[in-house]
Amino acid sequence: MTDEKSGMLAHSGVGERPPQTYHDHVTAVESRASSSAAGVDEHRSPRGHEWDGVSVVRLAAEYHDLGKLDGANQRVLQKHIPRTSSKEPLPINHVDAGVAHLMSMMAPSSALLAYSHHRGLPCISIEERKRENGGPFRDEKTEARTGKFLAEYLAIHRTQVAGSATAAPRTLRNATPMEYRIALSCLVDADHTDTGCHRTGSPFPSAPPLLPKLRLEQLDSYVQSLGERHRGARDRLRAAIYDACRNAPVDPPFRACDSPVGTGKTTAVMAHMLSVAAARGLRRIFVVLPYTNIITQSVSTYRKALTAPGEAPTAVVAEHHHRAESEHLALRDLSARWDAPIVVTTAVQFFETLAAAHPSGLRKLHQIPGSGILIDEAHAALPAHLWPMAWHWLQELVEKWDCSVVLSSGSLARFWEIRDFSGSASPIPDLVPDALREEAHRAETGRINYQRADRNLDHDALVSEVLKAPGPRLVIMNTVQAAAVIANELRAQVGRGKVEHMSTALTPHDRDPIVSRVLARLGNGLDDDWTFVATSCAEAGLDLSFRTAFRESAGLVHLIQVGGRANREARDSAATVHDFQTADPLLPHHPTFRLPATILGELFREGKVATAHCTEAMLRELRRHPTRQAEDVRHKENAKDFPAVESGFKVIETAKTITIIIDQAVVKAIESGERVDWRTVQDQSVQVWADKMESLPVRPIDKEESLYAWIGRAGSYDTFLGYMASVLPLARRDPRTLII
């Protein structure tokens, strides 16, 4: 083997792209990972214990690919791969050599990171038990060869990487699981980013800074311009709430906001977050929302309100919907990186990133320290049994990583005050003063009347009840299939012009026009005989106001949120929100909502259907949850069993989902090796449960089957039903065969 820098490779040449040298890759990863770790370390709280993550990450980055210097691996890497050919795997596990060297240096934390940068974080206790043999983090199949050639690898490495580490290494002493995840995130993002840049031949664009004072001025001007258009009592209330949030003290780091729907929380709480960021030197703001279409509307508002002249709105406010992530080396740069100053993402993305063990899932995590975190529509962010673990993570981010958190919802369950939840009541101050909060809640009186159906409905009976109600009408179903069935039946009975439909069966690109069309129709006072059918993605956060609403039974907070989409401005007499249950094989029940729906029935019988009882509803749910999942996840977290935590902490309790790209031009671009921005993949794709994939016309884009392409005939996906246009004919032939 040659000792020239140009002779040793880290990645083969593919198509027209040349190979990447070992020197270029390792030095770039080391520099980028060290910079990320240093950025994280700037926001480590003095109250936390010592976290020497910069040196640990830098050392892992230097040796993470040491085994690629093996002669057998170099012979494969030297082969140029035609674009149409599959990549030949390396014959020797290239990770083991770096792990062995780092363990010999007494650097176990760096060894753990190097070991995990492809396979993900392991169960630490299992690795510790391997000490009796070769030692933790080692590959039993490779360690004999590693022992034989390690000195040779290191000799070559020193010719490739100037200034190889010789100082005594540091370790992550007594580190929490979160700290290990953050450290690995720094390494993985550096590795994936450099690999992606080389693969495409172009660097990732750098994000602008937060500039909180400037953006707060922009927001003030935007809100003032809105206020000049309206002079009603609710507008004066919105202005008072905005001022209260904007001028609230920046401490303590946990705050709550339960201002009712229609009182301007989107802008008011953002004003508070920007004030906190300016005072405490935060580097970005996360807005965490439960549903993708809420993200689209919120992002539109934030981009209008926060982007300074000359800036690209998409660079200032990043919109991150569902996962478009891949473990495949050639596709992993599609992952969203959360490096924008303002990131708007889903609760699934945010909290499952905190729980992640695998590289693609936790790649973004190191961006969170030093951030403001707004969990908007917090009532729908997580199932009740996952909040204890999530609350622990949020507390660690606040106490050790200089984060500030606001929990906001018009139907906020104050779970932190439940002793069953935390062991002791933990008060969190409200952003809005008590007198103003009471005034806002008094304004809600008489706006909505909640009614519960006295019998279960099949799809024919439900459609009949909907059509008898005054319009415009909103219908919220618990599953994608149920929404598609009702929308399709309404279309058959009254025509396409009198029904709109939206769910995650449609790509974000196709959902955007639907929201715009619904808003336009609601703004037309003469257009009232029509129905909007959707899943829970339309129950919260959208500035919609219907005359009547129907909500498949799901839980008190969900019902109240739907109440926020009816008679929103209180311009009519009390609007009716109908709660109903179904009995129809074509309308599958969502397992997540069974217990909350049962509790909601009890609350109806007890006359407790009101915002004031949301915390009680959550307490009942916590006490009756049929599994010990919350305790199990916390136990696995304490034991640093990273894979078990990742698999146990699932915001949506169902099978694994897969990403299917609908747009064939995007598929072609990915397969030809072009740089495809993750936003494009996100906007042109849907997510489907993996166990239902066999019923759909799809094919894998890569051999790891991490991304799929839609290959259905014309009409199998349309802009009214999305992929459910392909599914409904199958479900009608045999409803038992498919539940989505």
Side-chain angles (χ1 to χ4, degrees), residues 2 10 28 33 226 267 318 322 324 343 391 461 470 488 490 492 499 504-505 518 604 710:
T2 177
L226 294 179
T267 51
H322 57 247
V343 178
W391 187 242
N488 201 44
L490 282 167
V499 58
T504 53
V518 167
F604 261 107
W710 185 266

Side-chain angles (χ1 to χ4, degrees), residues 2 32 74 77 90 105 150 177 311 315 373 408 422 474 516:
T2 177
R32 191 182 293 272
Q74 282 297 307
L77 291 168
L90 297 181
M105 293 178 67
L150 183 58
E311 290 185 314
I373 303 169
S408 175
S422 61
L474 172 65
S516 298

Side-chain angles (χ1 to χ4, degrees), residues 13 57 117 156 187 199 275 354 433 438 472 513:
V57 169
H117 83 275
I156 300 171
L187 173 61
R199 184 179 72 86
S275 297
L354 298 184
E438 291 172 4

Side-chain angles (χ1 to χ4, degrees), residues 345-365:
T345 190
T346 62
V348 173
Q349 277 291 321
F350 185 82
F351 287 106
E352 290 189 4
T353 295
L354 298 184
H358 279 82
S360 65
L362 56 69
R363 175 183 178 182
K364 313 175 291 292
L365 179 61

Side-chain angles (χ1 to χ4, degrees), residues 289 294-305 313 317-321 343-345:
L289 287 159
I294 306 177
I295 288 177
T296 299
Q297 180 167 302
S298 296
V299 164
S300 177
T301 299
Y302 290 140
R303 286 176 177 167
K304 292 175 187 175
V317 182
E319 180 179 9
H320 190 201
H321 292 184
V343 178
V344 187
T345 190

Side-chain angles (χ1 to χ4, degrees), residues 206-227:
S206 58
L210 179 57
L211 303 175
K213 292 182 179 179
L214 171 64
R215 303 204 191 283
L216 185 56
E217 292 174 358
Q218 294 281 128
L219 183 59
D220 286 342
S221 298
Y222 174 81
V223 171
Q224 185 176 4
S225 70
L226 294 179

